Every structure is written in C-alpha cells, then in structure tokens.
Amino acid sequence: MSQKLALKKLTASDLTFFKWHLEHGSAGKQKAINLNADIFIKKLYPNVPAIIEEKQGTIPLDLYIYGPGLSFEYNIQRKIQKRGSYKNYRLNGEFTPDPEEDSNRFHSLQAGDFVIFDFVGEFEPTSARAIFIAQSLKIDKNIHVALDKLITTKSMIELSIRNLENLISILNLPETHPINLLKLATNLEDAALGGIEGIKQLRIGPYKGKISRQNLEQAKKNADRTGRLGEKFICVYLEQKLHEGLIQEFIWEADSNAIAPYDFEITDLDGSKELIDVKSTKGNFNNTIHISFNELLQMNENNSYKIYRVFNIDDNDLSANLRITDSINEFSRNIVEILEQLPKKIRSDGISLPPSLLDFGETINLEFPDNI
C-alpha cells in the first residue's frame, strides 16, 4: 500500500468548497478545491486522465474531513472532476456545510491556510483524508508555520512521508491531533509488530480497518528487513569500535540464533560483558519500541543490557541515526514485577512503549562504508 500525500495552500476560491465561505466571501461560486495537475496527475495519479474520460468526467470520492484544530472525522461524498480545457482538476460536488454538532467548524479557515490530502487508491483515488490546518487556531499555528516553510512559494506540492513524520515528531503535537492519522507507514510497522496503537489508528478513516492480508504481510516483511538492516548498521559500528581499540571483541548473537533475547554481546577492555538489543525503524526516533517478554527477562538478569535505537534509515539504506540507552536493568525489573502479577497461566508476550520513557544518549550518525 503506497501512500499518496499532497499539501495544498488554500485560496479564497478553494474556500468556497465550504458553505459558510461561499455565502460570506467574495471569491465567486467555485464550490471546489483545485487539485494542481502538475502534482495530482504527474506525481500521484498519471492514469487519472484516461480513467476520468472513461467515467464521463467524474471519479466518485469518499472524503473524510479532519480539522481545523482537533475537530475529528466528518465523512461526505464528493468527486474528482475536470471541466473542458481547464488544466487543473477539482475536488467538487456541492458546497460543504458545517456539521450540525459543530456549527462554526470551518469558519476559522482563511486564504493561506492548508489542507493535507492523503489519497487512497493505487491507480485512481477512491477515498481520501483531508486534514485542514488553520493559522488562526493556537493548536494549528506551529504546524502552519512548518508547512509554510515546506511549500515555499508553490500552491501545491507532493508531500514526502519521511518529511511529514519528521515534522510531526519535531512539533510534539498532542496524540489527539488528526495529523497523526497520516502516519500510515508507522502505523503499519507498529501493527506488523503486534502494536495495538498502530491497529487502532488503521481502523479510523478511509481504511476503516480494511488493511489487506497482502499489505499486512508486506509490512511484516518490511519490519523484519528493517530489523535485520539495523543489526547490520550496528555490526559496522561495532567493527569500527573494535578497529579503534575501544572494545575487546563482540559477537553478533542474533545472526546465528534467531530466538536469542539479545542481538550482540560486547566484551569491554576490562573484560566485562554488555548485551545489546537493536530496535530499528525506518521512521523517526519516537516510533513505538516493542520489547518481548523474553527480552525483558534477559534485561532483568543482566546488569549491563542496553537498547540501541536505529532510526531515520535513508531510502537507499546507506545511512541512519543511532541513540543508545543507559543500562535498563532497573526499568525491566519494574515491568517484569508488574507482568508477573497477572493471574496464573496468563502471560504477556511483551510490551510496547514510547522511547521517551527510557534514558537515551545523544544521536550518532551511522553509514555503511563504500566497500560494503
């Protein structure tokens, strides 16, 4: 499942998509949001011109509106249209009223505000999320500033998934902000690893919990590949430390034992042992970490057990970032004590947690040498 994201700066004409702006503004009666052909067609949906011609100029769209601010799902039916020789396409249909339960919902929007589109559908859009960001709302202000820097002087751009997730991470937004729904890759990764939060997010909006078996299986394969890739990065990192005389030796335990409760064993210069568990993600540092019960027990038994967090792996798999915890023996001991209080014969397979609950060191840059 590929994610197709676009960022659009709203004009006064675009705002006539909403009934209140249509009636109270002076930008005509377009009743639609323009979708620039250089982005919507050339970047996202090159097959749409032929498809829309076959469908007599209209593609139905199941639209889920979020925002501005913390306003959540508002589902309406609209369509993608192209009229005559007009070069751009339009999200059209009819004007959009404010929901009955939130009669002022879209009034805060103004020209220069943003909508982020998350289109669903491989060859043509069948549904979409539209998340509106209003600069006049305090909760949206920092997002608006960040998006304005991304779009610069353009009116619409394709939005990189990596840039979006990094932006969300940096802004430290509340979990209830609808922009968090756009983290499809992160949610699929979390769901593939058994995370309940990823599954919960995938049940909302256009996907409605309808993630195909193929998509989830591919996500699991991607998660396994990312985990293996993270271990390779750490192997290179430890080989460099060995070459520099900073450690005595290391063993890549997980390379020969797939069920080992740790990935590497380091022997320090004084002969002491340190165990390492590598937790990797293609995304940003704050993505959820999953720790198995087997790993927790091993942490509990070893005074020097650390998590190496590999993140921001680049698209070419040649560079990444690393942060390392202090020993988490005490943390694991507290968690194990809690889990062992479960009723007899009931066992937890593991835990999921945000990295912020652990003490991590500074970021280290990782790269594969040219000869690898």
Side-chain angles (χ1 to χ4, degrees), residues 173-210:
L173 299 167
E175 292 183 3
T176 52
H177 198 288
I179 199 171
N180 288 300
L181 295 173
L182 297 176
K183 299 188 292 185
L184 175 61
T186 296
N187 291 329
L188 272 172
E189 177 184 83
D190 190 59
L193 294 170
I196 188 63
E197 190 57 36
I199 293 172
K200 281 170 58 180
Q201 295 297 334
L202 291 172
R203 287 176 176 168
I204 299 172
Y207 303 105
K208 290 292 185 184
K210 296 178 181 178

mmCIF file of all heavy atoms in Angstrom, residues 173-210:
data_model
loop_
_atom_site.group_PDB
_atom_site.id
_atom_site.type_symbol
_atom_site.label_atom_id
_atom_site.label_comp_id
_atom_site.label_asym_id
_atom_site.label_seq_id
_atom_site.Cartn_x
_atom_site.Cartn_y
_atom_site.Cartn_z
ATOM 1 N N LEU A 173 3.149 17.318 18.910
ATOM 2 C CA LEU A 173 1.717 17.593 18.974
ATOM 3 C C LEU A 173 1.002 16.600 19.877
ATOM 4 O O LEU A 173 1.488 15.485 20.096
ATOM 5 C CB LEU A 173 1.119 17.508 17.565
ATOM 6 C CG LEU A 173 1.668 18.490 16.549
ATOM 7 C CD1 LEU A 173 1.239 18.082 15.143
ATOM 8 C CD2 LEU A 173 1.197 19.893 16.869
ATOM 9 N N PRO A 174 -0.148 16.972 20.404
ATOM 10 C CA PRO A 174 -0.920 16.002 21.192
ATOM 11 C C PRO A 174 -1.362 14.838 20.322
ATOM 12 O O PRO A 174 -1.598 15.005 19.122
ATOM 13 C CB PRO A 174 -2.121 16.819 21.687
ATOM 14 C CG PRO A 174 -2.221 17.979 20.750
ATOM 15 C CD PRO A 174 -0.809 18.283 20.321
ATOM 16 N N GLU A 175 -1.467 13.661 20.916
ATOM 17 C CA GLU A 175 -1.855 12.475 20.154
ATOM 18 C C GLU A 175 -3.233 12.621 19.531
ATOM 19 O O GLU A 175 -3.554 11.955 18.545
ATOM 20 C CB GLU A 175 -1.827 11.240 21.062
ATOM 21 C CG GLU A 175 -0.417 10.838 21.504
ATOM 22 C CD GLU A 175 -0.412 9.570 22.334
ATOM 23 O OE1 GLU A 175 -1.512 8.982 22.508
ATOM 24 O OE2 GLU A 175 0.656 9.179 22.810
ATOM 25 N N THR A 176 -4.062 13.504 20.096
ATOM 26 C CA THR A 176 -5.422 13.680 19.593
ATOM 27 C C THR A 176 -5.488 14.543 18.337
ATOM 28 O O THR A 176 -6.563 14.662 17.734
ATOM 29 C CB THR A 176 -6.304 14.329 20.674
ATOM 30 O OG1 THR A 176 -5.648 15.511 21.158
ATOM 31 C CG2 THR A 176 -6.538 13.379 21.836
ATOM 32 N N HIS A 177 -4.362 15.133 17.924
ATOM 33 C CA HIS A 177 -4.406 15.954 16.712
ATOM 34 C C HIS A 177 -4.542 15.043 15.495
ATOM 35 O O HIS A 177 -3.800 14.073 15.346
ATOM 36 C CB HIS A 177 -3.161 16.823 16.573
ATOM 37 C CG HIS A 177 -3.359 17.947 15.609
ATOM 38 N ND1 HIS A 177 -3.446 17.745 14.242
ATOM 39 C CD2 HIS A 177 -3.539 19.280 15.802
ATOM 40 C CE1 HIS A 177 -3.654 18.906 13.642
ATOM 41 N NE2 HIS A 177 -3.712 19.861 14.555
ATOM 42 N N PRO A 178 -5.497 15.337 14.604
ATOM 43 C CA PRO A 178 -5.756 14.429 13.466
ATOM 44 C C PRO A 178 -4.587 14.266 12.511
ATOM 45 O O PRO A 178 -4.568 13.305 11.735
ATOM 46 C CB PRO A 178 -6.961 15.068 12.768
ATOM 47 C CG PRO A 178 -7.041 16.463 13.268
ATOM 48 C CD PRO A 178 -6.470 16.449 14.645
ATOM 49 N N ILE A 179 -3.601 15.150 12.530
ATOM 50 C CA ILE A 179 -2.458 14.991 11.628
ATOM 51 C C ILE A 179 -1.722 13.683 11.906
ATOM 52 O O ILE A 179 -1.064 13.121 11.026
ATOM 53 C CB ILE A 179 -1.501 16.202 11.714
ATOM 54 C CG1 ILE A 179 -0.604 16.262 10.464
ATOM 55 C CG2 ILE A 179 -0.684 16.170 12.994
ATOM 56 C CD1 ILE A 179 0.205 17.536 10.351
ATOM 57 N N ASN A 180 -1.849 13.163 13.124
ATOM 58 C CA ASN A 180 -1.202 11.899 13.469
ATOM 59 C C ASN A 180 -1.771 10.725 12.683
ATOM 60 O O ASN A 180 -1.128 9.673 12.579
ATOM 61 C CB ASN A 180 -1.339 11.628 14.974
ATOM 62 C CG ASN A 180 -0.460 12.542 15.808
ATOM 63 O OD1 ASN A 180 0.758 12.547 15.668
ATOM 64 N ND2 ASN A 180 -1.069 13.328 16.680
ATOM 65 N N LEU A 181 -2.976 10.890 12.129
ATOM 66 C CA LEU A 181 -3.576 9.818 11.329
ATOM 67 C C LEU A 181 -2.806 9.560 10.039
ATOM 68 O O LEU A 181 -2.969 8.519 9.409
ATOM 69 C CB LEU A 181 -5.022 10.176 10.975
ATOM 70 C CG LEU A 181 -6.011 10.283 12.140
ATOM 71 C CD1 LEU A 181 -7.338 10.804 11.641
ATOM 72 C CD2 LEU A 181 -6.193 8.940 12.818
ATOM 73 N N LEU A 182 -1.958 10.505 9.642
ATOM 74 C CA LEU A 182 -1.255 10.372 8.364
ATOM 75 C C LEU A 182 -0.038 9.451 8.451
ATOM 76 O O LEU A 182 0.594 9.173 7.436
ATOM 77 C CB LEU A 182 -0.806 11.756 7.880
ATOM 78 C CG LEU A 182 -1.948 12.735 7.584
ATOM 79 C CD1 LEU A 182 -1.399 14.102 7.207
ATOM 80 C CD2 LEU A 182 -2.852 12.201 6.482
ATOM 81 N N LYS A 183 0.276 8.978 9.634
ATOM 82 C CA LYS A 183 1.476 8.145 9.790
ATOM 83 C C LYS A 183 1.179 6.703 9.397
ATOM 84 O O LYS A 183 1.307 5.781 10.203
ATOM 85 C CB LYS A 183 1.991 8.239 11.225
ATOM 86 C CG LYS A 183 2.384 9.645 11.637
ATOM 87 C CD LYS A 183 3.079 9.685 12.987
ATOM 88 C CE LYS A 183 2.162 9.334 14.114
ATOM 89 N NZ LYS A 183 2.816 9.479 15.440
ATOM 90 N N LEU A 184 0.800 6.491 8.135
ATOM 91 C CA LEU A 184 0.429 5.154 7.674
ATOM 92 C C LEU A 184 1.583 4.171 7.780
ATOM 93 O O LEU A 184 1.426 3.062 8.286
ATOM 94 C CB LEU A 184 -0.077 5.209 6.228
ATOM 95 C CG LEU A 184 -0.398 3.853 5.587
ATOM 96 C CD1 LEU A 184 -1.498 3.149 6.358
ATOM 97 C CD2 LEU A 184 -0.787 4.020 4.127
ATOM 98 N N ALA A 185 2.768 4.572 7.300
ATOM 99 C CA ALA A 185 3.921 3.658 7.332
ATOM 100 C C ALA A 185 4.250 3.271 8.765
ATOM 101 O O ALA A 185 4.517 2.097 9.065
ATOM 102 C CB ALA A 185 5.128 4.315 6.660
ATOM 103 N N THR A 186 4.208 4.250 9.658
ATOM 104 C CA THR A 186 4.494 3.982 11.068
ATOM 105 C C THR A 186 3.436 3.078 11.676
ATOM 106 O O THR A 186 3.744 2.141 12.417
ATOM 107 C CB THR A 186 4.557 5.308 11.853
ATOM 108 O OG1 THR A 186 5.651 6.081 11.361
ATOM 109 C CG2 THR A 186 4.759 5.058 13.336
ATOM 110 N N ASN A 187 2.159 3.350 11.359
ATOM 111 C CA ASN A 187 1.082 2.532 11.918
ATOM 112 C C ASN A 187 1.116 1.108 11.381
ATOM 113 O O ASN A 187 0.844 0.152 12.115
ATOM 114 C CB ASN A 187 -0.267 3.185 11.606
ATOM 115 C CG ASN A 187 -0.466 4.484 12.373
ATOM 116 O OD1 ASN A 187 0.042 4.640 13.481
ATOM 117 N ND2 ASN A 187 -1.197 5.412 11.796
ATOM 118 N N LEU A 188 1.442 0.952 10.086
ATOM 119 C CA LEU A 188 1.572 -0.393 9.527
ATOM 120 C C LEU A 188 2.729 -1.142 10.179
ATOM 121 O O LEU A 188 2.624 -2.325 10.495
ATOM 122 C CB LEU A 188 1.786 -0.316 8.011
ATOM 123 C CG LEU A 188 0.537 -0.282 7.139
ATOM 124 C CD1 LEU A 188 0.909 -0.017 5.690
ATOM 125 C CD2 LEU A 188 -0.251 -1.577 7.259
ATOM 126 N N GLU A 189 3.862 -0.444 10.388
ATOM 127 C CA GLU A 189 5.007 -1.063 11.051
ATOM 128 C C GLU A 189 4.628 -1.498 12.452
ATOM 129 O O GLU A 189 4.947 -2.616 12.882
ATOM 130 C CB GLU A 189 6.167 -0.065 11.098
ATOM 131 C CG GLU A 189 7.403 -0.586 11.830
ATOM 132 C CD GLU A 189 8.502 0.470 11.937
ATOM 133 O OE1 GLU A 189 8.428 1.308 12.862
ATOM 134 O OE2 GLU A 189 9.403 0.455 11.094
ATOM 135 N N ASP A 190 3.933 -0.631 13.183
ATOM 136 C CA ASP A 190 3.536 -0.944 14.553
ATOM 137 C C ASP A 190 2.567 -2.115 14.582
ATOM 138 O O ASP A 190 2.700 -3.038 15.401
ATOM 139 C CB ASP A 190 2.905 0.292 15.195
ATOM 140 C CG ASP A 190 2.685 0.112 16.686
ATOM 141 O OD1 ASP A 190 3.675 -0.135 17.398
ATOM 142 O OD2 ASP A 190 1.531 0.224 17.139
ATOM 143 N N ALA A 191 1.585 -2.112 13.660
ATOM 144 C CA ALA A 191 0.621 -3.208 13.594
ATOM 145 C C ALA A 191 1.305 -4.525 13.249
ATOM 146 O O ALA A 191 0.975 -5.578 13.798
ATOM 147 C CB ALA A 191 -0.464 -2.892 12.563
ATOM 148 N N ALA A 192 2.275 -4.478 12.330
ATOM 149 C CA ALA A 192 3.008 -5.683 11.928
ATOM 150 C C ALA A 192 3.789 -6.280 13.081
ATOM 151 O O ALA A 192 3.997 -7.492 13.158
ATOM 152 C CB ALA A 192 3.953 -5.357 10.772
ATOM 153 N N LEU A 193 4.210 -5.432 14.015
ATOM 154 C CA LEU A 193 4.964 -5.885 15.179
ATOM 155 C C LEU A 193 4.059 -6.202 16.363
ATOM 156 O O LEU A 193 4.541 -6.464 17.465
ATOM 157 C CB LEU A 193 5.996 -4.825 15.577
ATOM 158 C CG LEU A 193 7.120 -4.591 14.557
ATOM 159 C CD1 LEU A 193 7.941 -3.365 14.930
ATOM 160 C CD2 LEU A 193 8.019 -5.822 14.454
ATOM 161 N N GLY A 194 2.738 -6.154 16.131
ATOM 162 C CA GLY A 194 1.788 -6.503 17.183
ATOM 163 C C GLY A 194 1.334 -5.336 18.028
ATOM 164 O O GLY A 194 0.677 -5.530 19.056
ATOM 165 N N GLY A 195 1.638 -4.111 17.619
ATOM 166 C CA GLY A 195 1.285 -2.942 18.419
ATOM 167 C C GLY A 195 -0.179 -2.578 18.303
ATOM 168 O O GLY A 195 -0.722 -2.452 17.211
ATOM 169 N N ILE A 196 -0.840 -2.399 19.437
ATOM 170 C CA ILE A 196 -2.267 -2.085 19.436
ATOM 171 C C ILE A 196 -2.523 -0.682 18.932
ATOM 172 O O ILE A 196 -3.547 -0.415 18.308
ATOM 173 C CB ILE A 196 -2.862 -2.285 20.857
ATOM 174 C CG1 ILE A 196 -4.393 -2.143 20.823
ATOM 175 C CG2 ILE A 196 -2.251 -1.306 21.841
ATOM 176 C CD1 ILE A 196 -5.090 -3.164 19.992
ATOM 177 N N GLU A 197 -1.598 0.264 19.165
ATOM 178 C CA GLU A 197 -1.820 1.648 18.755
ATOM 179 C C GLU A 197 -1.873 1.760 17.234
ATOM 180 O O GLU A 197 -2.723 2.474 16.686
ATOM 181 C CB GLU A 197 -0.728 2.557 19.315
ATOM 182 C CG GLU A 197 -1.005 4.045 19.147
ATOM 183 C CD GLU A 197 -2.312 4.488 19.777
ATOM 184 O OE1 GLU A 197 -2.689 3.965 20.838
ATOM 185 O OE2 GLU A 197 -2.969 5.366 19.175
ATOM 186 N N GLY A 198 -0.971 1.056 16.547
ATOM 187 C CA GLY A 198 -0.986 1.076 15.092
ATOM 188 C C GLY A 198 -2.281 0.517 14.541
ATOM 189 O O GLY A 198 -2.861 1.060 13.595
ATOM 190 N N ILE A 199 -2.760 -0.566 15.136
ATOM 191 C CA ILE A 199 -4.015 -1.178 14.697
ATOM 192 C C ILE A 199 -5.184 -0.227 14.927
ATOM 193 O O ILE A 199 -6.063 -0.071 14.073
ATOM 194 C CB ILE A 199 -4.243 -2.513 15.441
ATOM 195 C CG1 ILE A 199 -3.182 -3.536 15.007
ATOM 196 C CG2 ILE A 199 -5.646 -3.050 15.176
ATOM 197 C CD1 ILE A 199 -3.186 -4.814 15.805
ATOM 198 N N LYS A 200 -5.201 0.453 16.080
ATOM 199 C CA LYS A 200 -6.272 1.404 16.381
ATOM 200 C C LYS A 200 -6.318 2.510 15.339
ATOM 201 O O LYS A 200 -7.389 2.899 14.867
ATOM 202 C CB LYS A 200 -6.054 2.006 17.775
ATOM 203 C CG LYS A 200 -6.477 1.099 18.923
ATOM 204 C CD LYS A 200 -6.001 1.653 20.261
ATOM 205 C CE LYS A 200 -6.513 3.040 20.538
ATOM 206 N NZ LYS A 200 -6.044 3.567 21.854
ATOM 207 N N GLN A 201 -5.154 3.055 14.967
ATOM 208 C CA GLN A 201 -5.118 4.148 14.001
ATOM 209 C C GLN A 201 -5.569 3.693 12.614
ATOM 210 O O GLN A 201 -6.197 4.453 11.880
ATOM 211 C CB GLN A 201 -3.711 4.747 13.925
ATOM 212 C CG GLN A 201 -3.243 5.425 15.198
ATOM 213 C CD GLN A 201 -4.093 6.630 15.560
ATOM 214 O OE1 GLN A 201 -4.695 7.257 14.714
ATOM 215 N NE2 GLN A 201 -4.145 6.950 16.844
ATOM 216 N N LEU A 202 -5.257 2.447 12.264
ATOM 217 C CA LEU A 202 -5.644 1.932 10.947
ATOM 218 C C LEU A 202 -7.145 1.664 10.852
ATOM 219 O O LEU A 202 -7.677 1.487 9.756
ATOM 220 C CB LEU A 202 -4.870 0.652 10.630
ATOM 221 C CG LEU A 202 -3.373 0.826 10.387
ATOM 222 C CD1 LEU A 202 -2.680 -0.527 10.284
ATOM 223 C CD2 LEU A 202 -3.109 1.650 9.136
ATOM 224 N N ARG A 203 -7.811 1.635 11.982
ATOM 225 C CA ARG A 203 -9.260 1.416 11.984
ATOM 226 C C ARG A 203 -10.041 2.703 11.752
ATOM 227 O O ARG A 203 -11.255 2.676 11.613
ATOM 228 C CB ARG A 203 -9.694 0.803 13.324
ATOM 229 C CG ARG A 203 -9.287 -0.658 13.481
ATOM 230 C CD ARG A 203 -9.656 -1.162 14.846
ATOM 231 N NE ARG A 203 -9.363 -2.587 14.977
ATOM 232 C CZ ARG A 203 -9.368 -3.253 16.124
ATOM 233 N NH1 ARG A 203 -9.633 -2.609 17.255
ATOM 234 N NH2 ARG A 203 -9.095 -4.530 16.155
ATOM 235 N N ILE A 204 -9.343 3.833 11.709
ATOM 236 C CA ILE A 204 -10.001 5.132 11.598
ATOM 237 C C ILE A 204 -9.945 5.637 10.156
ATOM 238 O O ILE A 204 -8.952 5.451 9.470
ATOM 239 C CB ILE A 204 -9.320 6.154 12.536
ATOM 240 C CG1 ILE A 204 -9.427 5.693 13.995
ATOM 241 C CG2 ILE A 204 -9.938 7.531 12.392
ATOM 242 C CD1 ILE A 204 -8.620 6.535 14.952
ATOM 243 N N GLY A 205 -11.001 6.293 9.719
ATOM 244 C CA GLY A 205 -10.967 6.991 8.435
ATOM 245 C C GLY A 205 -11.099 6.081 7.234
ATOM 246 O O GLY A 205 -11.776 5.065 7.274
ATOM 247 N N PRO A 206 -10.445 6.425 6.118
ATOM 248 C CA PRO A 206 -10.655 5.718 4.845
ATOM 249 C C PRO A 206 -10.375 4.226 4.913
ATOM 250 O O PRO A 206 -10.999 3.447 4.196
ATOM 251 C CB PRO A 206 -9.656 6.396 3.891
ATOM 252 C CG PRO A 206 -9.427 7.723 4.476
ATOM 253 C CD PRO A 206 -9.516 7.541 5.970
ATOM 254 N N TYR A 207 -9.430 3.817 5.754
ATOM 255 C CA TYR A 207 -9.060 2.397 5.780
ATOM 256 C C TYR A 207 -10.081 1.570 6.549
ATOM 257 O O TYR A 207 -10.343 0.429 6.231
ATOM 258 C CB TYR A 207 -7.660 2.233 6.373
ATOM 259 C CG TYR A 207 -6.642 3.031 5.609
ATOM 260 C CD1 TYR A 207 -6.129 4.214 6.125
ATOM 261 C CD2 TYR A 207 -6.234 2.642 4.345
ATOM 262 C CE1 TYR A 207 -5.218 4.978 5.401
ATOM 263 C CE2 TYR A 207 -5.332 3.390 3.618
ATOM 264 C CZ TYR A 207 -4.824 4.558 4.152
ATOM 265 O OH TYR A 207 -3.942 5.305 3.442
ATOM 266 N N LYS A 208 -10.673 2.158 7.590
ATOM 267 C CA LYS A 208 -11.724 1.510 8.359
ATOM 268 C C LYS A 208 -11.362 0.085 8.763
ATOM 269 O O LYS A 208 -12.197 -0.814 8.771
ATOM 270 C CB LYS A 208 -13.034 1.494 7.564
ATOM 271 C CG LYS A 208 -13.670 2.866 7.407
ATOM 272 C CD LYS A 208 -14.184 3.384 8.733
ATOM 273 C CE LYS A 208 -14.933 4.700 8.547
ATOM 274 N NZ LYS A 208 -15.348 5.271 9.837
ATOM 275 N N GLY A 209 -10.095 -0.136 9.081
ATOM 276 C CA GLY A 209 -9.658 -1.460 9.484
ATOM 277 C C GLY A 209 -9.520 -2.430 8.335
ATOM 278 O O GLY A 209 -9.246 -3.610 8.542
ATOM 279 N N LYS A 210 -9.709 -1.955 7.089
ATOM 280 C CA LYS A 210 -9.670 -2.851 5.939
ATOM 281 C C LYS A 210 -8.284 -2.851 5.296
ATOM 282 O O LYS A 210 -8.111 -2.459 4.148
ATOM 283 C CB LYS A 210 -10.738 -2.445 4.937
ATOM 284 C CG LYS A 210 -12.159 -2.597 5.479
ATOM 285 C CD LYS A 210 -13.192 -2.137 4.480
ATOM 286 C CE LYS A 210 -14.595 -2.271 5.048
ATOM 287 N NZ LYS A 210 -15.625 -1.781 4.110
#
